[in-house]
Amino acid sequence: MTLIRSAAISTRLAFQMPWRRRQVKQMCRDGKAPMSVLFYHRVADSVPNPWTISNREFERQVDYCREHFELISLEEVQHRLESGHSPRPTATFTFDDGYAENCAFALPLLIRHRIPCTYFVTTANVRTGEPFEHDVRRNAPLPINTVEQLRAAADAGIEMGLHTANHVDFNQVRSIDHLQREIVDAKADLESMLDRPVRYLAVPFGMPEQMRPAVLQTARDCGLIGICSAYGAYNLIGDDSFHIRRFHGDPEFNRFRNWLTFDNRKNIRRPDLPTSDILDDSDDETPEVTYEECLST
């Protein structure tokens, strides 16, 4: 079924490519070229799961982006959104969670090619070394980045960002104290570990229901300069630069190319975010979003 789906995507992409290219050329002439921000979790050849991509496939995607896009940082994405000028299509690399294996191949590859990258980690897992609950549930616990690994990557030019303290689902958070612990206290904790400022937050799961007004406001209030979602969208001139939109670096190459080849129909379909919010001291009982649901967007 995967091969059939991949072939169908490839055929559709080939048919639509001339139209999409004309569309992007016009956007470039207008200074409104799309900015794509990719997110990954784990690059490794062992213990495959829906949030792991192989070393070979990751390198293939990096090479594709180097050939077809200007590779820029999150800060430059924000600068172009704020200036109202984006002269050419761009791609930006980010990682979520903090898997130790990323230090074996993925991060050295990006560092070697001087490709900007922001690497988001959950502070509690880094502090304790405990594996992520979503891996434990699959009976496949995986090693977590150490503080020493993160410091070494930061020294080599990788920007470190926050992915909350406990990989929390913000759709379950009902109290102000809980929100503060997961963002404000976790930011201070990560800064103390790294001995450098932390500027960005990637919201775990990153779907519209997690991108609540209270989450964005708390991030602003504690000095973060940007917050990343993960529900699948481009960054376009006119968008709020504080909210950086991302899509998954899909291990299936045709799906990956399909997302990176700008299609305005995806932009038209992107969801609205919540506009109202209530925080109190009630229990957090909303069911958690699964990784599979997040990556299926």
Side-chain angles (χ1 to χ4, degrees):
M1 183 61 69
T2 299
L3 291 176
I4 295 174
R5 183 181 64 178
S6 180
I9 292 172
S10 181
T11 300
R12 183 170 69 249
L13 186 58
F15 177 77
Q16 295 175 352
M17 188 65 78
W19 168 72
R20 294 196 193 186
R21 284 176 174 166
R22 288 194 299 270
Q23 187 177 41
V24 170
K25 284 182 179 180
Q26 183 59 54
M27 295 173 76
C28 292
R29 286 193 291 268
D30 295 338
K32 298 180 179 181
M35 289 165 276
S36 299
V37 178
L38 299 158
F39 73 94
Y40 299 85
H41 295 89
R42 176 175 175 263
V43 178
D45 291 333
S46 62
V47 195
N49 59 39
W51 44 92
T52 296
I53 183 172
S54 71
N55 292 336
R56 181 178 180 181
E57 192 60 32
F58 180 72
E59 185 170 23
R60 183 186 185 191
Q61 295 190 5
V62 169
D63 288 343
Y64 181 84
C65 289
R66 291 177 65 207
E67 180 180 356
H68 294 282
F69 297 91
E70 182 181 1
L71 303 182
I72 65 174
S73 65
L74 291 182
E75 185 175 25
E76 180 61 21
V77 171
Q78 292 179 300
H79 171 72
R80 296 186 185 197
L81 290 173
E82 291 163 5
S83 69
H85 183 65
S86 178
R88 60 188 65 85
T90 69
T92 302
F93 284 83
T94 70
F95 279 78
D96 289 358
D97 291 353
Y99 286 100
E101 294 104 321
N102 293 329
C103 290
F105 181 81
L107 294 186
L109 177 68
L110 297 176
I111 292 166
R112 184 166 68 249
H113 291 302
R114 298 183 179 180
I115 296 172
C117 174
T118 302
Y119 195 81
F120 296 99
V121 298
T122 56
T123 56
N125 296 92
V126 172
R127 279 286 187 195
T128 65
E130 292 294 322
F132 295 110
E133 182 60 33
H134 47 261
D135 292 323
V136 173
R137 287 197 297 263
R138 296 174 66 90
N139 295 315
L142 295 164
I144 305 302
N145 284 123
T146 65
V147 174
E148 291 72 25
Q149 286 176 325
L150 299 181
R151 286 176 177 168
D155 289 342
I158 302 296
E159 173 148 17
M160 293 297 153
L162 177 65
H163 201 43
T164 73
N166 297 287
H167 203 278
V168 68
D169 180 353
F170 281 126
N171 196 33
Q172 298 186 62
V173 172
R174 294 293 176 267
S175 74
I176 296 172
D177 285 347
H178 193 175
L179 197 64
Q180 293 279 321
R181 291 195 302 272
E182 293 294 338
I183 299 178
V184 182
D185 296 347
K187 175 180 181 288
D189 188 24
L190 185 55
E191 289 176 333
S192 71
M193 282 190 265
L194 301 175
D195 193 26
R196 64 182 68 215
V198 171
R199 306 192 300 165
Y200 294 99
L201 165 71
V203 173
F205 309 104
M207 304 301 281
E209 54 265 33
Q210 281 87 37
M211 300 296 293
R212 297 165 55 186
V215 173
L216 273 71
Q217 191 59 51
T218 301
R220 287 183 190 273
D221 290 346
C222 74
L224 291 163
I225 67 171
I227 185 170
C228 295
S229 59
Y231 56 80
Y234 305 104
N235 296 277
L236 301 173
I237 297 301
D239 287 338
D240 175 14
S241 66
F242 186 75
H243 170 202
I244 301 163
R245 296 149 183 84
R246 304 183 300 167
F247 55 85
H248 184 224
D250 200 295
E252 188 178 320
F253 190 68
N254 283 330
R255 283 171 57 92
F256 169 80
R257 278 203 312 140
N258 185 51
W259 256 108
L260 278 171
T261 308
F262 178 77
D263 184 349
N264 193 50
R265 291 172 299 182
K266 289 186 174 70
N267 179 54
I268 292 172
R269 293 197 299 266
R270 70 181 182 180
D272 295 326
L273 299 186
T275 57
S276 60
D277 212 352
I278 298 177
L279 288 177
D280 51 36
D281 293 320
S282 61
D283 292 333
D284 300 337
E285 298 178 346
T286 306
E288 184 178 16
V289 174
T290 67
Y291 252 44
E292 287 82 357
E293 290 172 326
C294 176
L295 300 183
S296 67
T297 57

